Amino acid sequence: MASAPPTKRQKSSKDVPYELLYWPGIPGRGEHIRLALEEGGATYTDTAVIQGGINSVLAQIDPKSLGDEHNPPTCAPPILKHGDLVINQTPNILLYLGPKLSLVPSIEEDEDGIYHVNQLALTALDGLSNEPHDCHHPIASGLYYEDQKVEAKRKSEDYTKNRLPKFLGFFERVLKGEASKGGEWLYGGRLTYADLVLWQCVDGLKWMFPNAMAKLEKSGEYDGIWAHYERVKGRERIKAYLGSERRQKYGMGIYRHYPELDEEA
Ligand SMILES: N[C@@H](CCC(=O)N[C@@H](CS)C(=O)NCC(=O)O)C(=O)O
């Protein structure tokens, strides 16, 4: 017997509220999604602030979960629900939200612009989010920091001396490049989600490595980055969000402040 044709998933309009599923208690990778939703003026719920919301996260990543007719199971948060769509992977969610929240150039304006924005966001996540995470967990995510302190120190020394300046230098070049259209924003003369990702990474690194970041600031080599940081922070919606209870404090997430991993003052 022929199987029934697959039912088509209903596309969610941009008026359908978004649902962010992420661990409560830390900004973490969920913060990239929150900043996009906040800057885009979206209506959303966040499991971090809902009593018992963590159960929705656990249900999604439960090893017994097989997803559903339209959605494969998700491996780890952040997870975005929009209508009956369920997706994960931070940059994938941003790629979905970008056009809906006007955080990428429109197709009419710049047909391939979204790939440049995504490329910049992926680069920031590589060097300024994933690598900092590996500074305190260089051997295994499943082990305690205390079980890998020696390696963490070596990794952090290399990171603050070589990798961090390399990636900040890269974004300084991006801001100086012609495609930034003036150097205020990373791409195309307007704020995109790549600017929000870079901002969150720089903010997390200021918390994690205050001495190393202060030295880099004093060097005068990355002035475009610090000006960009203040520019994003001063956006009306971002400023309101950062001053609200929805913005969580750094703790035991990606950006952790272990003074022994930072440079000397
Ligand atoms: N590449 C994924 C990484 C997702 C990820 O590692 N999520 C963390 C929280 S920030 C997690 O809960 N991981 C559980 C695990 O890896 O077992 C992304 O960017 O979303």
Side-chain angles (χ1 to χ4, degrees):
M1 201 173 82
S3 58
T7 52
K8 224 173 160 213
R9 192 183 70 76
Q10 291 290 310
K11 276 208 159 214
S12 305
S13 88
K14 65 180 174 43
D15 303 324
V16 172
Y18 298 93
E19 209 181 322
L20 170 64
L21 285 82
Y22 194 70
W23 304 120
I26 47 164
R29 287 183 174 91
E31 201 59 13
H32 296 293
I33 314 304
R34 283 188 197 101
L35 287 170
L37 292 166
E38 293 281 346
E39 173 64 29
T43 307
Y44 72 102
T45 54
D46 184 346
T47 51
V49 297
I50 296 172
Q51 191 77 22
I54 193 168
N55 293 324
S56 315
V57 181
L58 294 171
Q60 283 292 330
I61 62 170
D62 188 318
K64 288 198 222 73
S65 164
L66 299 178
D68 62 31
E69 186 188 5
H70 301 295
N71 302 289
T74 50
C75 184
I79 299 163
L80 183 81
K81 277 191 173 182
H82 191 211
D84 56 8
L85 177 75
V86 182
I87 52 173
N88 81 323
Q89 288 287 356
T90 309
N92 189 44
I93 297 172
L94 292 170
L95 198 61
Y96 176 76
L97 290 177
K100 293 187 166 47
L101 302 179
S102 300
L103 294 173
V104 289
S106 66
I107 291 187
E108 299 76 46
E109 234 178 298
D110 177 359
E111 199 183 346
D112 301 320
I114 191 165
Y115 302 108
H116 287 130
V117 172
N118 200 42
Q119 158 191 324
L120 294 168
L122 287 165
T123 306
L125 291 169
D126 275 354
L128 302 173
S129 176
N130 295 334
E131 289 200 28
H133 169 271
D134 293 348
C135 284
H136 51 77
H137 276 77
I139 302 293
S141 302
L143 289 176
Y144 289 112
Y145 163 64
E146 286 69 22
D147 296 328
Q148 43 195 321
K149 278 179 90 165
V150 174
E151 295 85 356
K153 179 72 187 151
R154 281 189 73 190
K155 175 88 184 168
S156 300
E157 272 168 12
D158 179 68
Y159 183 73
T160 52
K161 190 161 164 269
N162 298 313
R163 302 293 288 173
L164 177 55
K166 177 193 160 107
F167 279 94
L168 291 182
F170 168 71
F171 282 104
E172 186 74 20
R173 280 198 286 133
V174 172
L175 288 167
K176 288 197 173 105
E178 214 181 311
S180 80
K181 303 276 181 282
E184 289 203 348
W185 309 107
L186 292 173
Y187 183 72
R190 41 111 68 208
L191 176 124
T192 67
Y193 70 75
D195 294 291
L196 301 174
V197 170
L198 177 63
W199 184 86
Q200 173 55 28
C201 291
V202 171
D203 193 64
L205 284 161
K206 278 171 174 274
W207 153 259
M208 182 165 172
F209 294 121
N211 295 341
M213 289 293 272
K215 277 187 202 167
L216 291 165
E217 193 160 351
K218 259 193 221 136
S219 76
E221 286 178 47
Y222 313 97
D223 288 347
I225 302 271
W226 319 123
H228 175 270
Y229 176 84
E230 294 303 328
R231 203 169 289 123
V232 174
K233 201 174 172 182
R235 304 271 301 183
E236 202 180 323
R237 286 176 178 161
I238 296 295
K239 199 169 159 187
Y241 166 65
L242 295 175
S244 76
E245 285 182 356
R246 300 190 299 285
R247 170 76 172 181
Q248 297 169 87
K249 292 192 167 43
Y250 293 109
M252 299 301 273
I254 293 175
Y255 300 109
R256 299 188 188 188
H257 178 55
Y258 293 117
E260 64 274 21
L261 298 185
D262 196 4
E263 291 185 351
E264 299 280 314

